[in-house]
Amino acid sequence: MTTTMAAKQNSKPWYREPWPWFLMSGPILVIIAAFVSAWIAIRSSDGLVTEDYYKQGLVAGETLTRSKHAEELGISAGLRLTDEQVSIRLTSRQTEKPAALNVTLSHPTRAGIDQKSVLKLNGEVYAGKLNLPASGHWLVLVEDEAKTWRIMGSVMLPAAGEVVIGAGEG
């Protein structure tokens, strides 16, 4: 009986023992982290979600329609890229060629170095100024000024000779 009395006198209340606090610290930290994550989610913007998703969907549909139209017309472009100039030899089943072409040269991952140029018809070839970008994989978009058709392809720079995109590709 004396050992039981001595044990009761030496024992502390549970909240004065270190082990319960140590065991509760994990779940408490998880609860705090959940509240912080919820606060960050509520306060920050969802960058990929857009308010005008319907309009963007219509634009995507229009883009597909223009690409399909170019395919129906059998449009292909032979691209030649030099240090300061781009030239395009356009072939198509339609007899009338547009007066100018819009060309966009874009990098798949670095949008800051994309380039646009308007190429004027000079004889049988469209030509215009364009600074040759860094070597690597690039996407080329060619469309008429009225934006009724468009063709898209990829090119590895530096390119030797003519690169064909569009109906004659591949």
Side-chain angles (χ1 to χ4, degrees), residues 5 11 15 24-25 39 47 63 88 92 97-98 106 147 153 167:
M5 289 276 238
S11 70
Y15 53 85
M24 286 187 292
S25 65
W39 180 78
T63 299
I88 294 180
S92 139
K97 291 187 177 184
S106 59
K147 296 193 178 202

Side-chain angles (χ1 to χ4, degrees), residues 124-136:
E124 290 294 313
V125 176
Y126 294 89
K129 295 279 183 196
L130 189 68
N131 293 326
L132 190 63
S135 62

Side-chain angles (χ1 to χ4, degrees), residues 144-162:
D144 64 333
E145 278 190 315
K147 296 193 178 202
T148 58
W149 57 263
R150 68 175 236 147
I151 54 174
M152 189 171 199
S154 62
V155 62
M156 286 295 284
L157 295 179
E162 186 174 86

Side-chain angles (χ1 to χ4, degrees), residues 81-160:
L81 295 163
T82 62
D83 288 341
E84 294 180 1
Q85 183 174 324
V86 61
S87 61
I88 294 180
R89 182 187 45 80
L90 194 67
T91 56
S92 139
R93 285 193 289 267
Q94 91 184 52
T95 55
E96 188 177 322
K97 291 187 177 184
L101 296 177
N102 295 325
V103 176
T104 304
L105 193 63
S106 59
H107 195 274
T109 58
R110 294 184 283 166
I113 57 176
D114 295 352
Q115 296 186 41
K116 292 184 178 189
S117 183
V118 177
L119 308 182
K120 301 290 182 190
L121 185 59
N122 186 6
E124 290 294 313
V125 176
Y126 294 89
K129 295 279 183 196
L130 189 68
N131 293 326
L132 190 63
S135 62
H137 181 247
W138 289 83
L139 299 174
V140 180
L141 172 67
V142 179
E143 56 189 355
D144 64 333
E145 278 190 315
K147 296 193 178 202
T148 58
W149 57 263
R150 68 175 236 147
I151 54 174
M152 189 171 199
S154 62
V155 62
M156 286 295 284
L157 295 179

